[in-house]
Amino acid sequence: MTYLTAEKQPTQYCFLVQMDDNPENIREYTWGLTPPVGQTEQQYLDSIKREIGLLVADELARMNAPQPESVPLEGF
Amino acid sequence: MTQYLGVKGTNGKVSREPTDSKGYPVELTAGSASIGTVSSNAEGTPGSTKPTKAFQIAGNDGANLRVPYVYTFGIADSQSLGESLSVASGQMAYNGSTWDRWRNNSQGTLLASAARTATTNSSDQTNYNGKGLHVILDVTSAGTGSITLKIEGKDTLSGKYYTLLEGAAVTTNSTNVYKVYPDLTAAANSVANDMLPKTWRITVTANNANTITYSVGHSLNL
């Protein structure tokens, strides 16, 4: 996973992410600017970075998951 | 709403009809995928060698005749367009400045399954033409953690969020469903009689600092 761009815009953070080696697998994520109560901006950005990593890993796992084999049901 | 037309050929290389210097449609030679008015035998069949006589609207993929056919979204799901050239159509909707594809019911991941200890927001989500949604909070290892989920709309002018629905505190392993949709019978902490705005997100508030493992998914509905 590679960050192509990471920007702070007037009303949001915007991240453009290359998920893997496939140039078509690019995702854009936007996050609100205000951190949750009790979090610093840096903690918030670290949390966003972690969540993006989790989302990308989740999507790649779904994309690359082998097709489950069907099992014949007995008695039909 | 309007419709758009596109042309799909083998390997997706075909994009428009070729013309000569006077603007008349011409046949492209073998070696490049094309679509156009070709001199061909109207009895040609898809996949056959390109004929040389008669007149027919057809295309070639660089070697073989490909007969266009009209493919209309909505006839059935998961249809293969095969190797023929095809014309596809789909609905588009104007959003005030650009055109968006018209969406069907859709689903996705808001927060992937993971152990968390702090309040976490999802990324901003875009609702193109849905009316409402279900959000599913699945807690798989609650431990001594406690979380509360909130569905929020966003005012993109100010960047501020407002609450559409706030759930009750969740402290056990459980699957919790939150619904926002017009004309639903509202129920405290789980159902809101409301519409879903263009931009929205969820926030999962940590009520204490203890670790809790969960995921959040959604199903957006027309």
Side-chain angles (χ1 to χ4, degrees):
Chain A
M1 187 186 87
T2 307
Y3 283 87
L4 301 177
T5 61
E7 297 175 343
K8 184 175 185 178
Q9 300 173 347
T11 59
Q12 62 190 11
Y13 291 109
C14 187
F15 306 91
L16 201 60
V17 175
Q18 176 82 54
M19 297 172 65
D20 57 11
D21 294 335
N22 185 339
E24 293 183 356
N25 290 341
I26 294 176
R27 297 290 180 270
E28 183 181 67
Y29 300 99
T30 57
W31 247 270
L33 285 181
T34 308
V37 175
Q39 288 183 28
T40 65
E41 184 173 14
Q42 189 56 53
Q43 287 172 327
Y44 183 46
L45 288 172
D46 289 343
S47 170
I48 290 172
K49 200 169 184 178
R50 177 174 186 252
E51 294 302 330
I52 289 176
L54 289 167
L55 288 171
V56 168
D58 180 71
E59 185 167 352
L60 287 175
R62 291 176 195 275
M63 290 166 58
N64 299 325
Q67 292 293 321
E69 293 183 9
S70 59
V71 179
L73 294 175
E74 295 181 2
F76 285 85
Chain B
M1 288 187 294
T2 185
Q3 289 191 320
Y4 67 88
L5 293 177
V7 180
K8 180 180 182 295
T10 301
N11 298 327
K13 293 179 179 176
V14 176
S15 60
R16 65 185 177 88
E17 181 181 68
T19 57
D20 63 14
S21 59
K22 295 180 180 178
Y24 294 110
V26 296
E27 175 189 3
L28 292 187
T29 57
S32 61
S34 66
I35 184 171
T37 306
V38 299
S39 297
S40 65
N41 186 332
E43 295 178 354
T45 55
S48 67
T49 300
K50 182 164 57 68
T52 57
K53 294 183 179 180
F55 185 83
Q56 183 185 15
I57 301 296
N60 77 75
D61 63 4
N64 296 319
L65 176 69
R66 300 297 181 190
V67 179
Y69 65 92
V70 174
Y71 176 83
T72 304
F73 293 141
I75 294 176
D77 290 329
S78 306
Q79 290 193 89
S80 170
L81 294 180
E83 294 184 345
S84 296
L85 291 168
S86 59
V87 178
S89 67
Q91 292 181 328
M92 302 283 282
Y94 192 59
N95 65 22
S97 58
T98 58
W99 293 86
D100 295 321
R101 286 174 293 177
W102 190 257
R103 261 69 169 182
N104 200 347
N105 295 340
S106 60
Q107 56 192 6
T109 303
L110 297 170
L111 295 175
S113 180
R116 297 178 177 88
T117 57
T119 296
T120 305
N121 304 326
S122 74
S123 62
D124 288 347
Q125 307 292 310
T126 301
N127 168 32
Y128 290 96
N129 50 263
K131 287 183 179 176
L133 83 168
H134 286 189
V135 170
I136 302 94
L137 167 65
D138 189 39
V139 178
T140 54
S141 182
T144 53
S146 173
I147 51 176
T148 301
L149 184 143
K150 189 163 54 177
I151 303 172
E152 300 171 298
K154 183 177 185 180
D155 170 25
T156 51
L157 182 62
S158 65
K160 294 177 180 174
Y161 297 86
Y162 54 94
T163 300
L164 296 170
L165 176 66
E166 183 164 3
V170 176
T171 58
T172 59
N173 292 358
S174 54
T175 301
N176 306 271
V177 182
Y178 308 88
K179 303 174 183 177
V180 175
Y181 202 87
D183 295 332
L184 289 180
T185 300
N189 306 126
S190 62
V191 181
N193 172 10
D194 205 340
M195 49 156 276
L196 188 68
K198 177 76 181 288
T199 305
W200 62 279
R201 74 173 184 183
I202 58 105
T203 292
V204 179
T205 301
N207 300 318
N208 60 36
N210 300 330
T211 300
I212 181 169
T213 302
Y214 61 90
S215 65
V216 184
H218 78 278
S219 176
L220 205 152
N221 298 287
L222 301 181

